[in-house]
Amino acid sequence: MNSENMQNILIIGAGTMGLQIGFLCAVHGCSVAVYDVDQGVLAQAEKRVKTLAKRFSQQNRLSPEAVEQTLARLSFTSDPEAAGRDADLVSESVPEDPALKGKIFAQFHKICPPRTIFTTNTSSLVPSMFAKATGRPERFLAFHFHDVVTSNIVDVMPHPGTLPEVTAAVKTFAEKIGQIPIMLQKEHPGYVFNTMLMSFLGEALSMAAKGVASIEDIDRAWMGVMHTQVGPFGIMDSVGLDTVWKITSYWAEKRQDPKARKNADFIKKYLDEGSLGQKSGRGFYSYPDPAFARRGFLRSRNPRPADKK
Ligand SMILES: NC(=O)c1ccc[n+]([C@@H]2O[C@H](COP(=O)([O-])OP(=O)(O)OC[C@H]3O[C@@H](n4cnc5c(N)ncnc54)[C@H](O)[C@@H]3O)[C@@H](O)[C@H]2O)c1
């Protein structure tokens, strides 16, 4: 299998990441079937994909004709047979649960041709946790994306049983769709960037959970010193608080880590109120006009004498 043959892409899970990955593959000429079990999610998918197209157009990454062609290459379905029977590459983005991921791959192992490469977009698990359950461990690895609007970095992480030519084909495919592959030489939960990010977010959550400073001030501190548009709590809103909670509580349990448990409990209060972050219109901030993006968020609250009229 070489990446030239990877034309038909199956995306499993039409949520935050599945849709972004599917859209990116379609931008680069692939035919993309997006599969989900939730009809409500599928009903919204077309609208959400148009929003992504708009953001790519604003960045001058897509002409109006290319937008039309990209949208025409995407299809949405809840029929696993139709979605999987001619797939060259599968990219899975269902919730962060190794048992669920393994079960879904086993289902598609029966539907997809033997040539199909299976990849997971897991954030914090490692592929060997559910490689056997996929039914084709030698053609399975992690292929992990970041936000496709703001980044072009992907992690390519095989497990010890992945065939080297499968890893090489995914690396070449990553380049074909305009990404910079970061090649993991051994399994590592969190890959490269996310390992650094999770400890950063964990410290921010821990300070908020302990009441050290407000969410806004913690973001302000980071944004003001690092000159970034967003701080740790704004980042978590864009990731999705349900996803951050799942990852945090998974590791709290696995490592019996009381600090991570406290952080997970802190996020859970938001989930219980239906605040999932940007995707639900409310998280740590309210959307579409979050306070951290407003003029004045970083301005001094006590104007210098020269600023007073
Ligand atoms: N959100 C991020 O920023 C981000 C970034 C990189 C990786 N990831 C990883 O990507 C994966 C998905 O995260 P997300 O944020 O897109 O989640 P999400 O909750 O937005 O989407 C998950 C989707 O999976 C669907 N689903 C659930 N069970 C299914 C099944 N049996 N068959 C088909 N579809 C099913 C749901 O209906 C939902 O639409 C997770 O493993 C996460 O760790 C997330």
Side-chain angles (χ1 to χ4, degrees), residues 12-21 35-38 41-42 48 92-97 100-101 103-104 107-108 120-125 144-147 191 194 238-240 242-243 246-247 279:
I12 306 179
T16 307
M17 282 312 292
L19 216 59
Q20 290 192 27
I21 299 166
Y35 163 79
D36 204 291
V37 283
D38 186 331
V41 169
L42 288 173
R48 288 170 46 221
E92 164 275 313
S93 281
V94 301
E96 193 74 337
D97 170 353
L100 174 68
K101 288 178 189 285
K103 200 175 106 199
I104 293 171
Q107 176 192 3
F108 279 93
T120 175
N121 185 46
T122 179
S123 300
S124 58
L125 310 172
H144 170 254
F145 291 74
H146 300 89
D147 184 320
Y191 312 95
N194 271 6
S238 80
V239 169
D242 48 346
T243 299
K246 270 193 197 108
I247 296 168
K279 63 184 163 190

Side-chain angles (χ1 to χ4, degrees), residues 94-165:
V94 301
E96 193 74 337
D97 170 353
L100 174 68
K101 288 178 189 285
K103 200 175 106 199
I104 293 171
F105 277 121
Q107 176 192 3
F108 279 93
H109 176 56
K110 293 194 189 115
I111 296 170
C112 294
R115 69 172 192 278
T116 313
I117 292 177
F118 283 3
T119 70
T120 175
N121 185 46
T122 179
S123 300
S124 58
L125 310 172
V126 292
S128 59
M129 284 178 178
F130 46 103
K132 201 161 166 229
T134 64
R136 55 181 82 190
E138 70 291 346
R139 302 188 75 73
F140 170 63
L141 68 161
F143 183 27
H144 170 254
F145 291 74
H146 300 89
D147 184 320
V148 305
V149 178
T150 55
S151 128
N152 64 344
I153 293 289
V154 290
D155 297 290
V156 176
M157 184 167 78
H159 65 91
T162 313
L163 286 170
E165 57 265 38

Side-chain angles (χ1 to χ4, degrees), residues 159-193:
H159 65 91
T162 313
L163 286 170
E165 57 265 38
V166 168
T167 306
V170 171
K171 175 178 187 267
T172 313
F173 178 73
E175 286 160 350
K176 173 179 148 177
I177 59 168
Q179 304 298 293
I180 298 169
I182 306 295
M183 304 303 292
L184 275 284
Q185 293 168 10
K186 50 163 68 178
E187 284 195 318
H188 182 69
Y191 312 95
V192 173
F193 174 74

Side-chain angles (χ1 to χ4, degrees), residues 209-271:
K210 284 194 275 191
V212 172
S214 70
I215 282 162
E216 290 80 4
D217 266 354
I218 296 170
D219 275 358
R220 251 183 214 107
W222 187 264
M223 291 162 68
V225 177
M226 296 302 290
H227 303 283
T228 58
Q229 306 276 317
V230 65
F233 290 95
I235 292 173
M236 285 186 265
D237 271 355
S238 80
V239 169
L241 300 192
D242 48 346
T243 299
V244 179
W245 176 78
K246 270 193 197 108
I247 296 168
T248 310
S249 49
Y250 178 83
W251 288 111
E253 195 60 36
K254 180 125 179 140
R255 294 178 177 147
Q256 291 295 304
D257 176 350
K259 184 170 159 185
R261 181 77 269 149
K262 200 167 172 190
N263 289 351
D265 292 345
F266 181 75
I267 306 169
K268 183 73 169 43
K269 282 187 248 152
Y270 288 83
L271 300 187

